[in-house]
Amino acid sequence: MDERAALTLLADELDPVGDDAAIVDGLVVTTDMLHERTDFPAGTTRYTAGWRSVGASLSDVAAMGAEAIAAVAAYAAPEFDREELLGFVRGASDVCESVGAEYVGGDLDGHDEFTVSTTAIGRTTDPVRRGGARPGDVVCVTGTLGRTAAAIAQFERGDHERGNDLFQFEPRVAAGRALAPHATAMMDSSDGLARSLHQLAEASDCGFAIESDSIPIDDAVFETTDSEREALDRATTFGEDFELVCTIPEDDVAAARADTPVALTPIGSVLADGVSLDGDSLADRGYTHG
Amino acid sequence: MDERAALTLLADELDPVGDDAAIVDGLVVTTDMLHERTDFPAGTTRYTAGWRSVGASLSDVAAMGAEAIAAVAAYAAPEFDREELLGFVRGASDVCESVGAEYVGGDLDGHDEFTVSTTAIGRTTDPVRRGGARPGDVVCVTGTLGRTAAAIAQFERGDHERGNDLFQFEPRVAAGRALAPHATAMMDSSDGLARSLHQLAEASDCGFAIESDSIPIDDAVFETTDSEREALDRATTFGEDFELVCTIPEDDVAAARADTPVALTPIGSVLADGVSLDGDSLADRGYTHG
């Protein structure tokens, strides 16, 4: 069974809707595990790893439209270097501070490979789920897409400083809170825009028509490619950008954009079925978390 | 830097008191990472692993005297076998149900070694911390000690069924809630009784005089040893029993015992300094989590 099949099995067992975070007793809770081989390219600092791993969980809280309260991390490594450990904690603390949450520590574990498991907790009385998109709604995305693809390209060419800079994304907690009263469905783009749309389509039993000209591609993508087509592909399928993808009733889009503290870009509309880009079927292709 | 030094570094950075769980905004939060090599002997079923790993985090919630609300787990393995995964989820769900909490799922990760990271969340308005023990208080422990040492011995002799049975401990959430109004300090015995006493002594700036005759040794310990001395050592230093160790003012002990739904055994008293067993210094020796 591959990881995706296993996730589906677990989802059926535990949470048929498959939201970004579980909801229990007015709290939202989410956990993620990341590790060196698949998630932290050579050159990633421990500060960035702390920021990014805790940020990934905070992004799930954001995707529920919830306030972020706290995060913890378990840090596993073959050895514990003082500077690395402090760097990790500072990154984790800083990303929490950036969204008004508290980093409250965690656990350490000896392990062959650097591995981080993070949990974030939020609070909301009115969570936004994945299942509420309705035909006629407008699909919107926060910020820009392709930033992580750009970071990986920079790590690969050896510009670790730029790679680390691009890897430190801002979890969209404030945007998620602002969008909560407007959005009919929401999730984060951690698996890439294409896969996120397919997941929303399945949860809401709807379709999407996306226009490629509208997709906000991060300028950084063009630091490592001149091809518009390649840039679009990176922005659409690479994933791990941790932006919010949401659907909003058409007559509420202007108000939502005014309320949201980051750019909110309409990229298409909700249909009865099918997921398309410029009229062509958009494959359910993207990042499979390793 | 070994793991203990690293934990001390982190504790100084994040939480000078070093309680079993962090407290934030009326919630208690705790996370643990366990892995095959050091935590799950050959023969441990995935059901037991789910029960035990999530139970370890619930035990930290219990140690704060809090109500347990929810738990999540990240499950990492080289491959995802349907029965193993479902077994894990059932164990995790069952241990949550046993303490009135909800198991709300988690994450999956491909990994060379079976690794589990768990987080539990509780709620309390009046957490019991480690720092409140006062000379004259009575030291008490819930349940019995040595059960995990007995389990390991059974795994080693090849009785996996007995090992799994002993490995499925009951997190003391109800006992922790009942003890909260009485206890001046509390923690769980995950590092063993000896180390727990030293940690309480440090947090409360006090000492302890323990009487070995009073220590409630689990009957299961004698399944694999006939030596009283060896049994006492296993109960005192092996750890991972997840019982609660607490201090209670002398004139409140009877009421605390009446309120607590499991056996609560007085094992000694709080002094100004020193940690002793039958008058001899008790070394700060126990389980170092790998």
Side-chain angles (χ1 to χ4, degrees):
Chain A
M1 187 159 46
D2 70 11
E3 187 171 326
R4 211 165 163 212
L7 279 170
T8 304
L9 172 70
L10 276 194
D12 290 346
E13 186 82 356
L14 288 171
D15 176 12
V17 183
D19 285 302
D20 290 57
I23 303 169
V24 54
D25 208 8
L27 302 174
V28 300
V29 187
T30 176
T31 195
D32 297 280
M33 190 182 279
L34 302 177
H35 56 120
E36 189 143 32
R37 203 176 61 239
T38 53
D39 299 295
F40 304 118
T44 308
T45 65
R46 290 291 158 100
Y47 179 89
T48 298
W51 178 289
R52 190 166 175 83
S53 56
V54 171
S57 290
L58 292 169
S59 176
D60 287 329
V61 168
M64 305 301 292
E67 167 195 13
I69 299 174
V72 292
Y75 176 107
E79 54 183 5
F80 301 110
D81 174 84
R82 181 189 162 84
E83 288 312 308
E84 286 185 351
L85 200 49
L86 285 176
F88 180 87
V89 169
R90 286 191 198 106
S93 300
D94 285 354
V95 74
C96 282
E97 196 183 323
S98 79
V99 300
E102 250 186 271
Y103 181 64
V104 292
D107 193 26
L108 294 173
D109 194 34
H111 217 291
D112 292 340
E113 187 184 1
F114 174 52
T115 301
V116 182
S117 182
T118 56
T119 300
I121 300 160
R123 184 180 280 143
T124 177
T125 54
D126 194 16
V128 186
R129 314 191 69 148
R130 292 183 181 177
R134 288 164 305 194
D137 288 353
V138 175
V139 195
C140 296
V141 62
T142 59
T144 56
L145 298 173
R147 190 177 159 103
T148 287
I152 298 286
Q154 293 289 5
F155 279 117
E156 280 172 1
R157 64 148 65 157
D159 190 342
H160 294 172
E161 190 177 339
R162 184 70 179 136
N164 277 287
D165 178 40
L166 290 169
F167 242 26
Q168 291 164 36
F169 66 92
E170 192 181 321
R172 297 304 188 192
V173 176
R177 298 271 288 159
L179 285 165
H182 304 288
T184 52
M186 187 153 67
M187 67 182 294
D188 79 0
S189 70
S190 57
D191 294 337
L193 178 62
R195 181 151 291 163
S196 299
L197 292 168
H198 277 276
Q199 288 171 311
L200 285 174
E202 191 178 341
S204 292
D205 191 20
C206 69
F208 295 102
I210 307 299
E211 292 142 35
S212 64
D213 283 354
S214 309
I215 293 174
I217 302 176
D218 198 289
D219 288 345
V221 173
F222 296 100
E223 293 169 6
T224 48
T225 182
D226 293 325
S227 158
E228 288 280 349
R229 185 173 193 82
E230 172 64 25
L232 178 65
D233 189 59
R234 291 185 192 175
T236 311
T237 62
F238 196 91
E240 297 282 289
D241 283 326
F242 303 103
E243 294 293 348
L244 299 179
V245 185
C246 63
T247 56
I248 300 172
E250 193 167 7
D251 57 11
D252 202 20
V253 171
R257 294 181 78 178
D259 287 352
T260 307
V262 295
L264 182 71
T265 309
I267 59 169
S269 52
V270 182
L271 304 179
D273 52 38
V275 178
S276 67
L277 182 68
D278 299 334
D280 296 326
S281 176
L282 179 64
D284 183 6
R285 186 166 68 84
Y287 186 83
T288 297
H289 293 273
Chain B
M1 189 160 45
D2 69 12
E3 187 171 326
R4 211 166 164 212
L7 279 170
T8 304
L9 172 70
L10 277 192
D12 289 346
E13 185 82 354
L14 289 171
D15 177 12
V17 183
D19 286 303
D20 290 57
I23 302 168
V24 55
D25 208 7
L27 302 173
V28 301
V29 188
T30 175
T31 196
D32 299 280
M33 190 182 277
L34 302 179
H35 57 121
E36 189 144 32
R37 202 178 60 241
T38 52
D39 299 296
F40 304 119
T44 309
T45 66
R46 289 293 157 98
Y47 179 89
T48 298
W51 177 291
R52 190 166 174 83
S53 56
V54 171
S57 289
L58 292 169
S59 176
D60 287 329
V61 168
M64 305 301 291
E67 167 195 15
I69 299 174
V72 291
Y75 175 107
E79 55 184 4
F80 300 111
D81 174 83
R82 181 188 162 83
E83 288 312 309
E84 286 184 352
L85 200 49
L86 285 177
F88 180 87
V89 169
R90 286 192 200 106
S93 300
D94 286 354
V95 74
C96 282
E97 197 184 321
S98 79
V99 299
E102 251 187 88
Y103 180 63
V104 293
D107 193 25
L108 292 174
D109 194 34
H111 218 291
D112 293 341
E113 187 184 1
F114 173 54
T115 302
V116 182
S117 182
T118 55
T119 301
I121 300 161
R123 185 179 279 143
T124 177
T125 54
D126 193 16
V128 186
R129 313 192 70 148
R130 292 183 182 177
R134 288 165 303 196
D137 288 352
V138 175
V139 195
C140 296
V141 62
T142 60
T144 55
L145 298 172
R147 188 176 161 102
T148 286
I152 298 285
Q154 293 290 4
F155 280 117
E156 281 171 0
R157 64 149 66 157
D159 190 342
H160 294 172
E161 190 178 336
R162 183 70 180 138
N164 277 287
D165 178 41
L166 290 168
F167 242 26
Q168 291 164 36
F169 66 92
E170 192 182 322
R172 299 302 188 194
V173 175
R177 298 271 288 159
L179 286 165
H182 305 288
T184 52
M186 186 154 66
M187 68 181 294
D188 79 1
S189 69
S190 57
D191 294 338
L193 177 63
R195 181 152 290 162
S196 299
L197 292 169
H198 278 275
Q199 289 171 311
L200 285 173
E202 191 177 342
S204 293
D205 191 20
C206 69
F208 295 101
I210 307 299
E211 292 142 36
S212 65
D213 283 353
S214 311
I215 294 175
I217 302 177
D218 197 289
D219 287 344
V221 173
F222 296 101
E223 294 168 8
T224 48
T225 182
D226 294 324
S227 157
E228 288 279 348
R229 184 173 194 83
E230 171 65 24
L232 177 66
D233 190 58
R234 291 186 192 175
T236 311
T237 62
F238 196 90
E240 298 280 290
D241 282 327
F242 303 104
E243 295 293 347
L244 300 179
V245 184
C246 63
T247 56
I248 300 172
E250 193 168 6
D251 57 12
D252 202 20
V253 171
R257 294 181 78 176
D259 287 351
T260 306
V262 294
L264 181 72
T265 308
I267 58 169
S269 53
V270 182
L271 305 178
D273 52 37
V275 178
S276 65
L277 181 69
D278 298 335
D280 294 326
S281 176
L282 178 64
D284 182 7
R285 186 166 66 86
Y287 186 83
T288 296
H289 293 274

